[in-house]
Each structure stands twice: as C-alpha cells, then as structure tokens.
Amino acid sequence: MSFNLKSKADLYNELEQLNKIYQQKKSDSITLDLSRGKPGYDQVDLSNEMLDVLNSDSDFSTPEGFDCRNYGVLDGISSIKSLFADMLDVNPCNIFVGGNSSLNMMFDTVSHLVTHGISGCKPWFGQNVKFLCPVPGYDRHFSITEYFNIEMISVPMDDNGPDMDMVENLVENDELIKGIWCVPKYSNPSGITYSDEVVKRFANLKPKAKDFRIFWDNAYCLHDISDTPDTLLNIMTECEKTGNQDLPIIFCSTSKITFPGSGIAAMAASDNNINAFKNRYCYQTIGYDKLNQLRHIRFLKDIDTLKAHMKKHGRIIKPRFDVILDYFDREFKDINDITWTSPKGGYFIALKLPNGCAKRAVSLCSDAGLILTPAGATHPYGVDPDDSTLRIAPTFSSVDDISKASDLLCLCVKIAVLEKALDE
Amino acid sequence: MSFNLKSKADLYNELEQLNKIYQQKKSDSITLDLSRGKPGYDQVDLSNEMLDVLNSDSDFSTPEGFDCRNYGVLDGISSIKSLFADMLDVNPCNIFVGGNSSLNMMFDTVSHLVTHGISGCKPWFGQNVKFLCPVPGYDRHFSITEYFNIEMISVPMDDNGPDMDMVENLVENDELIKGIWCVPKYSNPSGITYSDEVVKRFANLKPKAKDFRIFWDNAYCLHDISDTPDTLLNIMTECEKTGNQDLPIIFCSTSKITFPGSGIAAMAASDNNINAFKNRYCYQTIGYDKLNQLRHIRFLKDIDTLKAHMKKHGRIIKPRFDVILDYFDREFKDINDITWTSPKGGYFIALKLPNGCAKRAVSLCSDAGLILTPAGATHPYGVDPDDSTLRIAPTFSSVDDISKASDLLCLCVKIAVLEKALDE
C-alpha cells in the first residue's frame, strides 16, 4: 500500500480522509513540542543530589589544598580535568575546563582565530574564510560561522559520516577552508556515529591551510541509549599517529549529564593548541566557576560512576525514542520515500521526506499545535535546498505527549507527502 | 627629620642602619603577600550559607515558573536582573546578566566591537583604534586592550578622577579614540571616587567617534569600609539628560560580594547597546548558569539585605586597611615625597614614591619574602614612566601578617628612597 503505487484518484481520496482527521485534531487545540534538544525533568532530577554535596559545612579545598571559593586556576581544578580526560580518553594536560557552555568555548575558539590566528598564520578577519558543514548538522554551529561572516559549504553525510572524498578534495586544495564542524558521535540530528574509516581519513588529512582545524563537538560521547552502543575512534590518538595532532579541537560538556546551563564545558587539544588558547583565556578571565567544578567532581566522582549515571539517563530517554520510532515504523512502512534514523544514543532522530515536503509538514504540525524545529535549521543559512530533512527531538516531553505528538506528526507528514505527490 | 633636610652623610648613616635591619629581616625567611585583590577567607565565609539555599529538596523554579535546571533565558532570570538594577540604579530591562566574570564581559564587549562594530560603524579590526587609560589603573583592563592590539594612551588621575581637560580634548578631536577604561568608585588602585563634576563631564562628552564607549567598571559600587562612604553620581542618569545614553557600558559582579570565581557578572547599558550585545550573546551561548543566579537571589534577597551583607565585608576589611595606613602615617610622615591614598572602600591603596623608586622597592620586598604587585602593573604595557606607583592590596592576608608585611614594606620603601636620594 505504498503511496507510489496508487492511482491519482486513490491518493486524492486518501488525502481527503487524512485532511478530515487533521481538521478534527486541529480543533483539539493541543500544545506539544518535539523541537528542543533538552533533557526531560526526570533526567535533570537525576542530578539534584549534586546540589547537596556543597553546603556551608563543606570542605571547599581540592586535594592539593586549593580553596575553591576564591580567585585562581585558569584551566580548571585538576580532579575535574582528569574526569574530562577520562571522558575523552586524552591526557589531562591536554584539557582546558571552561564555563557552563561548550558552545561558548567553540565561539571563543573561532573568535580567537578570527582576530589572532593560530600556527603563525594571519587572523581570519578580512579573509574569505570558509568552513565545511556536514549536513544535516547543528544550527548553533552554523550560527557561529555565520556570525563571523565565514562562508559555509555543505557536505553531505551518509551512515558513516561526512562524504570524505569531498572533504579531502576541498580541504587539501583550498587554503581558505579553515575548519569543519563535526558532531562525530550520535550526530545532531541524524544520530549516526562516524565510522573508524572516516575518523582515520580525518586524521590523514593534508590540509592546504596550516591553520585548518577540525571542530570535533563530542557532545554525546557518553550518551548511549542502547546496550550495544556505537563506538567512536579516538581522533586524538589517530592524529598523533599521523603527526596531525594540531588538527582536532575537541569539545564536550556536562550539560546533558548534570544540568543544562549549570554544567561544565571543556575542550581537549594538542599541547600547541592548548597553549595558544590558554594564552587567550588568560586575558579573558581570571578563571571559571571552581565551586561548580568541585560540586561536579564530588558528585560524578570518577568515570565509572559517571557511566553508571549516564545509564540512568539512557533508561529514561530510550522509551521516548522508541515511541516515535514505533510510530514511524507503523505509519511510514509502505511509503518508500520517507526514511529515518534509529540512533543508539544522542538527542535526535532525522526524518527524511521526499524533496519539497519538510516546510509544509512543519507548518501543518504547527497549525495543529505541535512545534517542530524549523525545516532548514539543519543546514547552513537555515536553508535545506531539498526541503526534506526534519529534526525530531524526543527527550523533553513525556512518553504520553510524545505518543500524541508522533501521531500528529505522522499525519502531517503523510498529508504533506500526498499533496506533493498529487502536485507532480 | 625629613630625608630632604639631611646631609648626605646623615642619609648614608641612616641607609646603613636600615640595611642592617633589612639583612636581619631577610634572614627570617618570611612569606607575605600584599599583591592580590582577593577577599580574605573570613570574607568568603560570609557567603557559605548561600550554598545551603539550593539542595535536592529545593524548588528550582523562578516566581514566573521557570525551572532553572534546564536550558534557556539568555539575559538572566528576572529577579537577579532586578537586584543588579537596584545595585546600579538602572532599569532592569537595561541589565544583561552574564557568567562568573565581569572581566570576561568586558573582554566580550571589546571583542564584539573589534569584529562587528556598533552604532553602524565599521569593526575596529585593522583600524589604529586607541583607548584612554586613566593611570594608575587596573592591569587586567589594559591587558584586554593590549590583546586586541588597541593603542593605549595614559591619562593622569587626580583626587577627582581622570584629567577631564585631556579626556575631552582627545575624545572630541580624534575619531580613532574609541573607549576609556574607568573604575569610577574606589578606583583600582588609588581608591578615589570620581567627583560629580567628572561624571557630568563624561556625560557631556561630544566624542568625534560615534562608536566611542565609556567602559565603566563599577566593581566596587557597594564596597564601602567607611561609615561616611563615597558616593558616585549615576552615569546613566546623567547621560540620559544629555542624550548620551549610548556612551556608558557599566559592568559589575558579585565576585567580591559572594565568591570570587563563583559569583555573577552583569552589564548595564542603553536599550541600543543592550540590544546590540544580546544580538551577539545569542550566537555565543544558550544562557548562563541560572542555578547560580537562583542561589544568589535567594541568599542576597534584595538590595537592603545585600547592603547589610556588604557592611559585614567592610567590618572585616577596614582593620586591614587601617594597619597599613597606620604604618604609613608613622613611618613616612616626615618624608615629603611619599604620598598615599586613604580610600573609604574598594580593595587597594596607591602608594606614590619619588620617581625611580617603585621597582627597587618591589624588588627589595620580594628578596625579603614579601610579594607586591609588580611596579608598572598600574600602567599600560606594564610601564610606569615615573617608576613611582605601588599598588597595595590589604584584603587577603590576616591583620597580623599585614602588620609584618607593612613593617617590611616601609623599611624597603625607605631604603629605595634613600638610595635614590644619595644617587642624585
């Protein structure tokens, strides 16, 4: 019973029927939201006890005897550096712990290269610098490059990561290509993880620009929802093997481990890179919030305790993914042109519609009370040239709401696809 | 018994005697520090109870019902915006609440103007932009402008603030002068507060550059140690009267109210300026640490409770200032060329020596175990052309240590001054 195989008349009838159901649902005036990559409140509840570990009776000193209630320590207290080092599997001396936002650290990094440059190269300001943007990707990455007037070039993704033929060809031949945005594990929004081969090809890049950097946003490094999670090859280790250790700059945070907005961000990079960035940060601040660092290390303790904590997140998130994926399986199984990802972790599902259907589906949903991420947000400049990709964020709502939202979403998608089919 | 009135032989004898005492003190191998503008631990203890107000049983919602444990709210929760508005006597809608560091907000502000400009003017990058730097001033201000390659022009300060004839002349005639660094109350390091006339002259400036801004670092707005504290005219109100409301950008933080490094920073500015900066920050971050904002507002409550809290700080700090000032009064009373400030608040005392003596005094202190802020740090590029200003920071040490440190400081200063007198 694929749409593709039906006569125009059959499709018309089907559309009419679906529109009747849609009008009914629209009159229910519901308010649902699948747009936000935010943990649910049952998830943030998991970290409430972190707020008990520091109180007026606490010892505020690090093991080395540093009282965290005063100025000092630019790059983070050593225990939290060690935890991030374990999370990212790098040496603690290659960690810089920042404020509450890894996005802010990426912004600062790009900002530094725009005004000061790196590796002895001149600042990016005033040059026609370009970044590669694997698509679909994360809108806030693209916003940073847009803010700094950096031209963005879309690179298609498949199940293994970005199209590496295209990446190599561009990076190795164009000196103005200075960076690439990557979410290598449970990518936002497709949920795919870069294959070993893709990571190795990144490590083997021979960039034309000496100041080319891989912005490796490992936001979901420990955010599995499956018992057989994806594994990501260590980019730093691979780059050390090829002598390319200055290529990657790795970012992560505890935003989706403890509290979004009240977590801790960190970056990992080679000695050269870390020194260059420390040399900026020492002008920018005296240091970040060490009491929050102390709070985190006393709550998360070590990598094993942290992983156990992440299993609790996974158990909460999985049923939310499952509800949506079950709907997709059931409702779209006979429609060849609709595909979607089934991630083993992360915060998003990518739903791919026939070309020209995404905006219409979002608008139908919105009119009936379901907010989705705007179509196009997954592409540079907010424009998806195929108008086909939807980003679905299942974590923030209750299972019950997600069920209602999925029902409406599937209906709207079918209407949009039918309208398009009849239009051709 | 002024040095000035003695014969060379008398001065020699005196120097010899002082050197004997110095050698003795040097052999005591003490470790003292008057270099750091950090609160003492009895001060940070005052805020320990702030760590009790949020625990796992707390309600994490703002009065408007916003749960602070998740993403959102770029410019700060409204209750903390109101508190900062009361601190700075501005409208809450002109407040932007940031991360843990007002220095970082100043850095971000300059960074924004370097890459993006303001008021329709072109970015500062690549122009030979200049800043005025009242001296003596705060080294970390000067570092920001130095980092961005902005030329710094020293402007002398007197007891009323910067030399406004010079400021007006430069700002009103040179389009490349884009900013001035000010610590208008209990200035770092002199402790003086700008007079009403100085503030009014700032508000009446007619800058040649449309994108000239006054960087008004009101770090010590509530940091009195006297019962008859200085008062500072409200720059924003004055600028509104003259139609110059876009001139000032005001910064402050709770670093020296609650915990340095774990406090909250904020800026206040006109509608135009705040909108311009919000328009940057929305690319830079999703939002700052709202749990820390909630913690602060529940602990500090309102402006009256906050002021009562600041009185406790004042009572702790005042004896530390008094010890040093008593030493200066006693030891330097007969030496005409040594002057110092007696601030009614803030964190510093400026000690002015005869020209050419500051570095030597710092080095003598250092050799005997007393760390002072490096001579020159109070001037752009770390160079005090007169080599005469010392910044003394009395807050971090115990009264007992400050007493020992003052004793040694006075000795070293006298030796440096005598050596200089004999050298001439």
Side-chain angles (χ1 to χ4, degrees):
Chain A
M1 202 185 87
S2 157
F3 283 175
N4 309 357
L5 301 175
K6 284 190 180 174
S7 70
K8 276 234 171 186
D10 287 345
L11 295 180
Y12 248 119
N13 284 339
E14 186 145 351
L15 178 58
E16 209 164 317
Q17 264 189 307
L18 294 177
N19 267 328
K20 263 185 210 152
I21 305 172
Y22 178 73
Q23 289 308 329
Q24 217 168 349
K25 287 196 186 290
K26 204 172 159 181
S27 64
D28 292 349
S29 60
I30 51 166
T31 316
L32 296 165
D33 196 326
L34 291 178
S35 75
R36 290 176 289 181
K38 290 166 81 163
Y41 285 107
D42 38 5
Q43 287 183 263
V44 292
D45 278 345
L46 294 174
S47 300
N48 286 350
E49 282 171 22
M50 189 173 76
L51 300 172
D52 297 332
V53 301
L54 284 190
N55 58 54
S56 55
D57 292 327
S58 297
D59 173 5
F60 303 107
S61 297
T62 64
E64 312 90 279
F66 192 91
D67 192 316
C68 291
R69 296 171 302 165
N70 220 325
Y71 289 115
V73 187
L74 180 64
D75 56 349
I77 61 176
S78 60
S79 50
I80 199 83
K81 283 173 75 172
S82 293
L83 184 63
F84 278 114
D86 287 343
M87 278 170 68
L88 297 172
D89 195 14
V90 300
N91 193 311
C93 68
N94 294 109
I95 293 282
F96 185 98
V97 179
N100 73 326
S101 160
S102 57
L103 189 79
N104 205 141
M105 296 192 89
M106 296 176 221
F107 183 97
D108 283 342
T109 304
V110 175
S111 182
H112 180 73
L113 300 185
V114 166
T115 57
H116 287 73
I118 199 162
S119 294
C121 300
K122 61 182 179 184
W124 294 351
F125 192 98
Q127 299 185 64
N128 297 319
V129 165
K130 303 170 205 167
F131 257 57
L132 302 186
C133 300
V135 290
Y138 178 33
D139 55 348
R140 286 186 176 271
H141 287 164
F142 303 155
S143 297
I144 290 174
T145 22
E146 192 170 359
Y147 172 82
F148 284 108
N149 239 322
I150 292 170
E151 186 186 332
M152 292 181 276
I153 300 170
S154 295
V155 174
M157 298 254 286
D158 63 23
D159 291 350
N160 297 309
D163 176 339
M164 290 307 293
D165 288 341
M166 184 172 171
V167 168
E168 285 161 359
N169 184 38
L170 287 164
V171 169
E172 300 186 353
N173 292 295
D174 186 344
E175 203 173 350
L176 285 169
I177 293 178
K178 303 292 193 187
I180 182 168
W181 288 118
C182 296
V183 184
K185 191 170 176 192
Y186 304 135
S187 191
N188 176 350
S190 69
I192 70 109
T193 297
Y194 292 10
S195 70
D196 290 358
E197 193 210 329
V198 163
V199 176
K200 284 182 185 184
R201 286 176 75 176
F202 267 113
N204 276 287
L205 279 175
K206 293 162 200 67
K208 182 102 169 178
K210 252 179 71 183
D211 50 353
F212 173 84
R213 291 295 180 274
I214 302 165
F215 288 72
W216 198 256
D217 182 2
N218 208 348
Y220 307 109
C221 50
L222 297 174
H223 302 60
D224 308 313
I225 58 172
S226 160
D227 292 332
T228 54
D230 291 346
T231 55
L232 174 71
L233 212 55
N234 185 329
I235 181 94
M236 192 59 89
T237 314
E238 293 306 311
C239 283
E240 277 160 6
K241 289 182 198 164
T242 57
N244 259 341
Q245 59 272 19
D246 289 345
L247 281 195
I249 305 176
I250 304 169
F251 301 92
C252 72
S253 81
T254 70
S255 292
K256 292 179 181 97
I257 294 174
T258 57
F259 299 120
S262 300
I264 297 173
M267 68 196 289
S270 69
D271 296 348
N272 286 339
N273 286 332
I274 284 289
N275 286 339
F277 294 118
K278 270 191 200 163
N279 218 16
R280 168 199 173 89
Y281 279 113
C282 70
Y283 289 93
Q284 179 168 342
T285 185
I286 300 171
Y288 293 98
D289 187 343
K290 294 182 300 300
L291 283 177
N292 208 28
Q293 293 173 17
L294 196 62
R295 197 177 278 124
H296 272 75
I297 194 65
R298 289 193 184 166
F299 176 66
L300 297 173
K301 291 189 177 77
D302 52 40
I303 189 69
D304 291 330
T305 314
L306 170 51
K307 283 180 177 168
H309 181 75
M310 293 312 293
K311 275 207 191 303
K312 296 182 198 164
H313 277 287
R315 280 197 289 269
I316 292 172
I317 294 176
K318 188 166 188 306
R320 296 182 183 168
F321 272 72
D322 286 347
V323 170
I324 296 187
L325 293 169
D326 286 350
Y327 264 93
F328 289 176
D329 279 335
R330 202 163 50 237
E331 299 292 323
F332 299 151
K333 68 173 183 297
D334 295 323
I335 309 174
N336 296 338
D337 292 340
I338 303 181
T339 57
W340 58 94
T341 53
S342 301
K344 292 183 167 185
Y347 270 65
F348 302 100
I349 296 165
L351 178 63
K352 195 131 194 321
L353 311 186
N355 289 355
C357 291
K359 272 189 191 164
R360 175 65 180 152
V362 169
S363 143
L364 282 164
C365 285
S366 158
D367 291 346
L370 167 61
I371 311 296
L372 294 181
T373 305
T378 52
H379 285 64
Y381 310 105
V383 179
D384 171 6
D386 292 337
D387 185 28
S388 68
T389 302
L390 293 185
R391 182 183 90 158
I392 311 296
T395 54
F396 188 58
S397 306
S398 68
V399 167
D400 197 45
D401 276 352
I402 294 172
S403 179
K404 284 182 206 146
S406 302
D407 185 47
L408 182 60
L409 169 63
C410 289
L411 178 68
C412 294
V413 162
K414 282 198 275 190
I415 291 173
V417 173
L418 267 175
E419 285 175 348
K420 186 77 191 169
L422 283 163
D423 203 37
E424 276 163 359
Chain B
M1 202 187 87
S2 158
F3 283 175
N4 310 356
L5 301 175
K6 286 190 178 174
S7 70
K8 277 234 169 184
D10 287 345
L11 294 179
Y12 250 119
N13 284 339
E14 186 146 350
L15 179 58
E16 209 166 316
Q17 264 189 306
L18 293 178
N19 267 327
K20 263 185 210 150
I21 305 173
Y22 177 74
Q23 289 308 328
Q24 217 169 348
K25 288 198 186 288
K26 205 172 156 180
S27 65
D28 292 349
S29 60
I30 51 167
T31 315
L32 296 165
D33 196 326
L34 291 179
S35 75
R36 289 176 289 180
K38 290 166 80 163
Y41 285 107
D42 39 3
Q43 287 183 262
V44 293
D45 279 345
L46 294 175
S47 300
N48 286 350
E49 283 171 21
M50 188 173 77
L51 301 172
D52 297 330
V53 301
L54 285 190
N55 57 55
S56 55
D57 292 326
S58 297
D59 173 7
F60 303 106
S61 298
T62 64
E64 313 91 278
F66 192 91
D67 192 316
C68 291
R69 296 171 302 164
N70 220 325
Y71 287 116
V73 188
L74 179 64
D75 57 348
I77 62 176
S78 60
S79 50
I80 199 83
K81 283 174 74 173
S82 293
L83 184 65
F84 277 114
D86 287 343
M87 278 171 67
L88 297 171
D89 195 15
V90 300
N91 193 310
C93 68
N94 294 109
I95 292 282
F96 185 98
V97 179
N100 73 325
S101 160
S102 57
L103 188 80
N104 205 142
M105 295 193 90
M106 296 175 222
F107 184 97
D108 283 342
T109 303
V110 175
S111 181
H112 181 73
L113 301 185
V114 166
T115 56
H116 286 73
I118 200 164
S119 295
C121 300
K122 61 181 180 184
W124 294 352
F125 192 97
Q127 299 184 62
N128 296 321
V129 165
K130 304 169 204 167
F131 258 56
L132 302 186
C133 299
V135 290
Y138 179 33
D139 55 348
R140 285 187 177 269
H141 286 165
F142 304 154
S143 297
I144 291 175
T145 23
E146 191 170 0
Y147 172 83
F148 284 108
N149 239 321
I150 292 171
E151 187 185 332
M152 292 181 276
I153 299 171
S154 295
V155 174
M157 298 253 289
D158 63 22
D159 291 350
N160 296 308
D163 176 340
M164 290 307 293
D165 289 340
M166 185 171 170
V167 169
E168 286 161 359
N169 184 40
L170 287 164
V171 170
E172 299 186 353
N173 292 296
D174 186 344
E175 202 174 350
L176 284 170
I177 294 178
K178 304 292 193 187
I180 182 168
W181 289 118
C182 296
V183 184
K185 191 170 177 193
Y186 304 136
S187 190
N188 176 350
S190 70
I192 70 108
T193 297
Y194 291 11
S195 70
D196 290 359
E197 193 210 332
V198 163
V199 176
K200 283 181 187 185
R201 287 176 75 175
F202 267 113
N204 275 287
L205 279 175
K206 291 163 200 66
K208 181 102 169 178
K210 253 179 70 184
D211 50 352
F212 173 84
R213 292 293 181 275
I214 302 164
F215 287 73
W216 197 256
D217 182 2
N218 207 349
Y220 309 107
C221 51
L222 298 174
H223 302 59
D224 309 314
I225 58 173
S226 161
D227 292 332
T228 55
D230 291 346
T231 54
L232 175 70
L233 212 56
N234 185 330
I235 181 93
M236 192 59 90
T237 314
E238 293 306 311
C239 283
E240 277 160 6
K241 288 181 198 164
T242 57
N244 259 341
Q245 61 271 16
D246 289 345
L247 280 195
I249 305 176
I250 304 169
F251 301 92
C252 73
S253 80
T254 70
S255 293
K256 292 179 180 95
I257 295 175
T258 56
F259 299 120
S262 301
I264 297 174
M267 68 195 292
S270 69
D271 296 347
N272 286 340
N273 286 333
I274 284 289
N275 286 338
F277 294 119
K278 270 191 200 161
N279 218 16
R280 169 200 173 88
Y281 279 113
C282 69
Y283 289 94
Q284 180 168 342
T285 184
I286 301 172
Y288 292 98
D289 186 343
K290 294 182 302 300
L291 284 178
N292 207 28
Q293 293 173 16
L294 195 62
R295 196 177 277 124
H296 272 75
I297 194 64
R298 290 194 183 164
F299 176 65
L300 297 173
K301 293 190 176 77
D302 51 41
I303 189 69
D304 291 330
T305 313
L306 170 52
K307 282 180 177 168
H309 182 76
M310 294 311 293
K311 274 205 192 305
K312 295 182 198 164
H313 277 287
R315 279 196 289 272
I316 293 172
I317 295 176
K318 187 164 188 308
R320 298 182 182 170
F321 273 72
D322 287 346
V323 170
I324 295 187
L325 293 169
D326 285 351
Y327 264 94
F328 289 177
D329 280 336
R330 202 163 50 237
E331 299 292 323
F332 299 151
K333 68 172 183 298
D334 295 322
I335 308 174
N336 296 337
D337 293 341
I338 303 181
T339 57
W340 58 93
T341 53
S342 301
K344 292 182 165 186
Y347 269 65
F348 303 100
I349 296 164
L351 178 63
K352 196 129 194 321
L353 310 187
N355 289 356
C357 292
K359 272 189 189 162
R360 175 64 179 151
V362 169
S363 142
L364 283 163
C365 285
S366 158
D367 291 347
L370 168 61
I371 310 298
L372 295 181
T373 306
T378 53
H379 285 65
Y381 310 106
V383 179
D384 171 5
D386 291 338
D387 185 28
S388 69
T389 302
L390 292 185
R391 182 183 91 158
I392 310 297
T395 54
F396 188 60
S397 304
S398 68
V399 168
D400 196 44
D401 277 351
I402 295 171
S403 179
K404 285 183 205 146
S406 303
D407 184 48
L408 182 60
L409 169 64
C410 289
L411 177 68
C412 294
V413 161
K414 283 197 275 190
I415 291 173
V417 172
L418 267 175
E419 286 175 346
K420 186 78 191 169
L422 283 164
D423 203 36
E424 275 162 0

